[in-house]
Amino acid sequence: SQQGEEDPQALSIQEGENATMNCSYKTSINNLQWYRQNSGRGLVHLILIRSNEREKHSGRLRVTLDTSKKSSSLLITASRAADTASYFCAAGNNDMRFGAGTRLTVKP
Amino acid sequence: NAGVTQTPKFRVLKTGQSMTLLCAQDMNHEYMYWYRQDPGMGLRLIHYSVGEGTTAKGEVPDGYNVSRLKKQNFLLGLESAAPSQTSVYFCASMKGTQYFGPGTRLTVL
């Protein structure tokens, strides 16, 4: 079964708004990673958060991790039309498993 | 530094045919992975390897075999292709974060 499960499945917002995506996982993990995928393309790594970290920032991205709830969130602030893509979390130890993703649409 | 490369980029097979997908990485990473992605869905782990000579099953290993004879290469084999194996296949290597190849689009008729 898949490790990460993203929520919501789809999200549509206006440019300038913030976008929040959530991910839940099932087993203990070493780290959790967020990726972005433009339609039909490969995955691009966004940010990694280790199991002993609670929050991490990278530019307009903010990731939180709650190991007690086995959940993580990705916040994209001040969204842009170019942020339109699918976002996936991957969690695990040696076996990194992905969720089904959140399809984000940012309207100009 | 080419990163992760996949060969071929596209392939069409008939049911029952066999083929091998090649993944190569030049970053000296220990960990390598094969995933499949079906339309509108996330990536599902087929097999992975934590080092040369080792392989392990992922979420959807049935119908696939893998080999990691050299550290830089991870091969995915389909012995008898089925239409259900029509998908885009992604390979990745990992050191900390995963680095993905561009994908192989496979169609089984």
Side-chain angles (χ1 to χ4, degrees):
Chain A
S1 61
Q2 292 194 291
Q3 173 73 294
E5 296 291 338
E6 287 90 344
D7 166 55
Q9 291 185 343
L11 180 62
S12 183
I13 59 175
Q14 293 295 133
E15 209 166 26
E17 294 181 336
N18 295 342
T20 299
M21 290 159 267
N22 303 297
C23 168
S24 60
Y25 57 92
K26 297 173 183 161
T27 65
S28 62
I29 60 172
N30 284 341
N31 64 75
L32 186 143
Q33 303 181 33
W34 285 91
Y35 291 83
R36 165 197 170 118
Q37 184 182 39
N38 286 63
S39 181
R41 309 289 290 273
L43 278 78
V44 175
H45 179 260
L46 294 176
I47 196 164
L48 177 153
I49 186 165
R50 301 189 191 286
S51 58
N52 61 352
E53 297 176 310
R54 292 295 167 261
E55 187 172 314
K56 205 160 182 182
H57 297 253
S58 177
R60 293 185 296 113
L61 305 180
R62 173 178 169 254
V63 168
T64 62
L65 179 64
D66 187 336
T67 53
S68 66
K69 295 181 180 178
K70 291 186 168 60
S71 67
S72 173
S73 68
L74 170 67
L75 168 67
I76 304 174
T77 60
S79 64
R80 306 167 182 167
D83 294 329
T84 294
S86 291
Y87 293 81
F88 297 92
C89 70
N93 297 301
N94 295 333
D95 57 333
M96 297 301 290
R97 303 190 182 197
F98 285 74
T102 293
R103 190 181 305 273
L104 174 66
T105 302
V106 182
K107 300 175 185 176
Chain B
N1 191 334
V4 180
T5 58
Q6 292 183 231
T7 309
K9 289 185 169 52
F10 303 92
R11 186 71 186 269
V12 178
L13 290 178
K14 293 181 180 178
T15 297
Q17 287 185 317
S18 63
M19 79 163 294
T20 299
L21 283 69
L22 170 64
C23 176
Q25 53 100 359
D26 60 2
M27 296 173 282
N28 204 34
H29 290 169
E30 294 289 342
Y31 294 64
M32 296 187 74
Y33 302 81
W34 275 108
Y35 296 91
R36 60 175 288 175
Q37 185 178 32
D38 299 315
M41 297 182 67
L43 279 71
R44 289 185 291 170
L45 180 63
I46 305 172
H47 286 279
Y48 65 101
S49 168
V50 300
E52 181 179 319
T54 74
T55 63
K57 294 181 180 180
E59 303 167 81
V60 289
D62 294 342
Y64 305 95
N65 57 74
V66 287
S67 65
R68 184 93 181 271
L69 299 178
K70 294 182 179 180
K71 188 177 184 178
Q72 62 268 35
N73 295 337
F74 195 28
L75 305 178
L76 178 71
L78 287 74
E79 290 184 348
S80 180
S84 61
Q85 293 178 305
T86 293
S87 190
V88 180
Y89 291 84
F90 288 100
C91 172
S93 69
M94 185 169 84
K95 184 174 182 180
T97 65
Q98 286 183 306
Y99 297 82
F100 282 85
T104 295
R105 190 173 296 273
L106 175 66
T107 302
V108 183
L109 302 175

